[in-house]
Amino acid sequence: MKAEVCSFSGLVIHPGHGMRIVDRDGRVYNFRTAKEKRYFLQKQKAAKFCWTQVYRKLHKKGMAKRTTRRRGRRVQKVQKSIYGMDLNTAKRRRAAPTRRTNAEKATALKTVKARRQNTKGKGKGRIQYSKLTQLNSKNFSTKGRGAY
């Protein structure tokens, strides 16, 4: 036989003692005494009764035994492969120097300029940034308002 734990107080129920209630949804509740069962059915909070384990834990009673802190697990670094690239090439890329050569910079600049040229004609409905700043400076003058 196995000792159970009271659903209300958290105290141990030894074999041959206590009572059991099954809820409509099939949950089983074990109670040590009629007092605990009565408080549970009245929907009282176990944390308000000083003789329950919930109360003792909330108010840090009987914690003198446990003075040393438990050490948590240390996080281990794991390198995973990136989609479309195996682990070895990813490691080589990370180990390679990050400085770009002048030729790489030039090709990257060319592609960006080409992209800008392609999208230039498409945004005719939008107000350009320079025009927007001119509009804002005309509409919002600071005369008579003091320094911001």
Side-chain angles (χ1 to χ4, degrees), residues 47 55 60 63 70 75 78 83 104 107 112 116-117 132-133 142 144:
Y55 177 93
K60 297 185 172 107
M63 299 294 281
R70 276 199 205 161
V75 179
V78 179
Y83 181 76
E104 286 177 347
T107 54
V112 169
R116 283 185 185 160
Q117 287 293 329
L132 225 164
T133 53
T142 57

Side-chain angles (χ1 to χ4, degrees):
M1 304 252 15
K2 182 174 114 179
E4 308 254 344
V5 177
C6 178
S7 299
F8 185 78
S9 66
L11 297 170
V12 178
I13 306 170
H14 294 287
H17 296 272
M19 57 200 81
R20 182 174 284 168
I21 290 181
V22 180
D23 216 355
R24 285 182 191 155
D25 58 354
R27 279 188 285 187
V28 179
Y29 299 104
N30 299 313
F31 302 105
R32 205 170 117 255
T33 62
K35 174 172 82 168
E36 292 156 347
K37 176 185 161 191
R38 191 169 57 243
Y39 283 136
F40 179 81
L41 292 175
Q42 288 174 14
K43 296 187 177 168
Q44 297 286 336
K45 288 187 178 179
K48 290 188 177 183
F49 297 97
C50 60
W51 45 270
T52 62
Q53 293 298 313
V54 178
Y55 177 93
R56 292 183 67 78
K57 195 166 191 176
L58 277 174
H59 294 86
K60 297 185 172 107
K61 305 290 181 187
M63 299 294 281
K65 296 173 189 173
R66 220 183 254 182
T67 53
T68 57
R69 273 184 57 199
R70 276 199 205 161
R71 288 187 183 177
R73 288 184 184 169
R74 288 193 177 178
V75 179
Q76 292 181 343
K77 289 186 179 179
V78 179
Q79 289 187 340
K80 294 182 180 179
S81 58
I82 301 167
Y83 181 76
M85 189 187 310
D86 63 325
L87 188 61
N88 294 331
T89 46
K91 281 182 181 177
R92 266 190 269 121
R93 286 249 179 109
R94 284 189 191 120
T98 54
R99 281 182 270 134
R100 284 187 180 178
T101 59
N102 290 336
E104 286 177 347
K105 284 181 184 177
T107 54
L109 194 64
K110 282 180 186 176
T111 55
V112 169
K113 283 184 179 178
R115 234 184 284 139
R116 283 185 185 160
Q117 287 293 329
N118 291 340
T119 58
K120 223 176 199 181
K122 294 178 183 174
K124 284 185 179 178
R126 297 181 187 155
I127 301 173
Q128 291 178 354
Y129 180 73
S130 59
K131 286 183 181 176
L132 225 164
T133 53
Q134 289 170 3
L135 287 172
N136 284 344
S137 62
K138 285 179 186 174
N139 294 339
F140 303 107
S141 63
T142 57
K143 291 180 183 176
R145 294 188 190 174
Y148 279 96

